[in-house]
Amino acid sequence: MVILTDDQSADSLPHTPPAMPYLQGRMEDPSDHWIQFTNAYVNTPLCCPSRASILSGQYSHHTGVRFNPAGHLFDSSSTMATWLQGAGYHTGFFGKYLNRYPFGLEPFVPAGWDRWIARAHGGLLSLYYNYTLIEDGRAVQYGGAPSDYITDVLADKAVQFIESAPADRPFLLYFSPTAPHAPWVPSPLHENEVNRFTNDLPSPAFNERGSLDRPLWVTSRRELSLRMEKRLVEERARQFSSLLGVDDAIRTIVTALERRGELDNTVIVFLSDNGYSFGEHRWIGKRCAYDVCTKTPLVVRFPGQQSARIHETVSNVDIAPTLAQLAGVIPTTEVDGESLVPLIEGKTFERKPGELIEWVGDDNIPAYWAIRTEDFLYVELATGERELYDVGGLLGPADPFELDNRASTLRYFPVQILLAVQLAELRGGPSTFVTSESGLG
């Protein structure tokens, strides 16, 4: 089972107070087989490219889906769904697919899915209520009643899938709610719980000052006003409160697995498609190369395995190859990711040096290639600017919030050269920048 949230801040799980109390309680229970990946990143920190990479195991420059309006370019003929369905799995998808689905076409079901319930393209005001679901090729309208809250509707349909799945076949369940995407609408059960998250101390990167060593796209941004600071704190609290409904949905789905007697036979993977910056580095949204945009919570329940925390860097492109190995199938196309199963099982093997991060560029953030290792973030921008952050404090003071660009520091030149070589190897050659004119969303 894959559970994919939308724009979830990495620091929301774990968090005090818990934004996802059920899931956090389960994953912190040493007897419950949860593996926490503390350094998980996405290849492109934007919804549609990230979702294409999760389904296919490929980098964005290989899927061709490099910005949100490009979902129609995705080749759905080779994904985790088609691989597992070909191996006899019963497959079901519930929630947000790729942005702008069904791409102006008649409602359709992508290859590989036996049960298909996906939200049709609509505006922000239809993310939680008054939306359309494509249910196995048929458009069904939902309204604004409390019972229409989309996270609950999708959870109920996921439970029906579990209850009706053939007893003689394994299944793949992909649950992808729209929460906690803006406008951050909490479920009817949690409408009055926003205040529990408004007392969080802001990150040191919040409305960052003294950033003259940063690229022009950062230094040219005005400092946030006090009014905007207050608004962002409130919006972050609303994001966290909307996660409470997702947490309820996870409890409902896991309970259904328990009732069916399948929980101890089911691997559960939980992650987000990207992070979200609520004013860190003076930026609001995603797409940036910094951890606030690229880092995702990633936890895996792996029956039979002891709970653990894994600190090696991993990526969203690793999810599809992981499921393929678990199902005993070989992807029908070349993948860029690597299975996480050996890491989970504690085996020693050579992984890639870090995680590739890329952005095609737009009017706000120029195109970039980046590599994130356990200790460093190195970024090459299309403008010719370079960034290097000693996140882990390997050569100097630790910089976990990426505030001190050391790309021009003599002491860091050797490691910068090494990271530049590793970055070139990951992306498959020298820098190539193709700028999108419509990468927003």
Side-chain angles (χ1 to χ4, degrees):
M1 181 167 70
V2 176
I3 303 170
L4 177 65
T5 57
D6 198 349
D7 288 7
Q8 181 175 350
S9 301
D11 63 348
S12 62
L13 186 73
H15 187 268
T16 303
M20 307 189 78
Y22 172 76
L23 179 57
Q24 185 167 321
R26 296 292 296 249
M27 74 186 217
E28 292 180 345
D29 180 349
S31 67
D32 200 22
H33 314 293
W34 286 91
I35 312 298
Q36 301 179 47
F37 290 88
T38 61
N39 283 299
Y41 300 90
V42 299
N43 169 241
T44 294
L46 189 64
C47 296
C48 197
S50 181
R51 289 165 182 270
S53 291
I54 291 168
L55 288 165
S56 67
Q58 294 181 325
Y59 293 138
S60 298
H61 64 280
H62 288 153
T63 66
V65 184
R66 307 187 73 179
F67 50 99
N68 275 347
H72 64 285
L73 299 176
F74 183 61
D75 179 6
S76 64
S77 67
S78 179
T79 67
M80 63 170 69
T82 62
W83 309 336
L84 270 64
Q85 188 187 60
Y89 276 69
H90 184 61
T91 59
F93 183 97
F94 303 86
K96 178 178 176 179
Y97 178 50
L98 302 179
N99 296 60
R100 304 199 178 188
Y101 166 83
F103 319 123
L105 306 174
E106 290 296 318
F108 69 94
V109 179
W113 300 103
D114 296 303
R115 186 83 171 100
W116 177 262
I117 299 179
R119 177 183 174 273
H121 176 63
L124 288 177
L125 296 181
S126 66
L127 278 181
Y128 295 91
Y129 293 101
N130 301 303
Y131 52 88
T132 300
L133 294 181
I134 306 302
E135 302 189 7
D136 297 320
R138 181 172 63 95
V140 180
Q141 304 289 331
Y142 289 80
S147 60
D148 291 318
Y149 186 72
I150 192 170
T151 305
D152 297 340
V153 169
L154 294 171
D156 289 344
K157 293 182 182 297
V159 167
Q160 293 168 14
F161 172 82
I162 293 171
E163 293 174 342
S164 63
D168 59 346
R169 295 173 62 189
F171 60 78
L172 166 66
L173 169 60
Y174 198 110
F175 179 68
S176 180
T178 54
H181 193 289
W184 313 288
V185 177
S187 76
L189 290 177
H190 301 291
E191 289 176 342
N192 300 318
E193 300 186 53
V194 176
N195 290 339
R196 74 159 74 178
F197 303 109
T198 56
N199 294 323
D200 280 6
L201 292 175
S203 157
F206 181 68
N207 202 8
E208 139 184 16
R209 295 164 176 82
S211 55
L212 296 179
D213 61 340
R214 309 302 287 278
L216 181 61
W217 82 264
V218 176
T219 60
S220 62
R221 303 190 69 82
R222 293 182 179 180
E223 291 185 8
L224 304 173
S225 66
L226 291 175
R227 181 178 179 180
M228 180 57 75
E229 285 186 350
K230 180 180 179 181
R231 173 182 167 183
L232 289 169
V233 169
E234 292 173 348
E235 289 181 346
R236 184 173 182 272
R238 286 167 52 200
Q239 185 202 71
F240 279 38
S241 68
S242 70
L243 283 168
L244 294 169
V246 178
D247 194 55
D248 291 342
I250 294 172
R251 181 197 298 270
T252 299
I253 294 170
V254 171
T255 299
L257 288 172
E258 290 176 317
R259 285 198 306 266
R260 185 178 164 113
E262 295 289 3
L263 181 59
D264 289 336
N265 299 321
T266 304
V267 173
I268 302 174
V269 180
F270 174 91
L271 76 160
S272 178
D273 55 5
N274 47 252
Y276 195 91
S277 177
F278 287 96
E280 288 87 354
H281 312 290
R282 301 186 209 165
W283 176 243
I284 302 171
K286 35 221 173 173
R287 295 170 281 163
C288 69
Y290 309 124
D291 280 11
V292 68
C293 293
T294 62
K295 196 169 187 178
T296 173
L298 175 60
V299 290
V300 178
R301 189 180 190 275
F302 202 92
Q305 196 70 28
Q306 287 190 335
S307 295
R309 290 168 63 87
I310 294 177
H311 302 297
E312 284 91 340
T313 60
V314 297
S315 172
N316 62 340
V317 297
D318 297 330
I319 303 303
T322 299
L323 269 62
Q325 181 174 352
L326 289 170
V329 300
I330 298 175
T332 56
T333 49
E334 185 175 353
V335 298
D336 298 302
E338 299 172 335
S339 172
L340 301 177
V341 173
L343 273 180
I344 292 172
E345 294 180 339
K347 296 178 180 177
T348 301
F349 67 106
E350 185 176 354
R351 281 180 58 85
K352 53 186 181 291
E355 305 310 324
L356 179 67
I357 301 170
E358 59 183 281
W359 169 234
V360 70
D362 61 16
D363 292 340
N364 292 291
I365 301 178
Y368 62 75
W369 297 96
I371 180 173
R372 183 62 163 87
T373 70
E374 287 185 54
D375 294 303
F376 294 101
L377 170 66
Y378 172 65
V379 187
E380 296 182 354
L381 293 99
T383 58
E385 298 166 296
R386 300 291 181 263
E387 298 178 82
L388 175 61
Y389 301 96
D390 191 351
V391 180
L394 194 64
L395 298 180
D399 186 19
F401 298 101
E402 300 151 329
L403 298 173
D404 187 6
N405 182 12
R406 297 170 186 173
S408 60
T409 304
L410 182 61
R411 182 179 186 180
Y412 285 86
F413 279 178
V415 73
Q416 181 171 333
I417 293 172
L418 174 62
L419 290 168
V421 171
Q422 293 173 336
L423 174 58
E425 291 174 350
L426 283 174
R427 68 175 174 243
S431 298
T432 55
F433 294 104
V434 180
T435 301
S436 157
E437 294 181 355
S438 53
L440 303 178

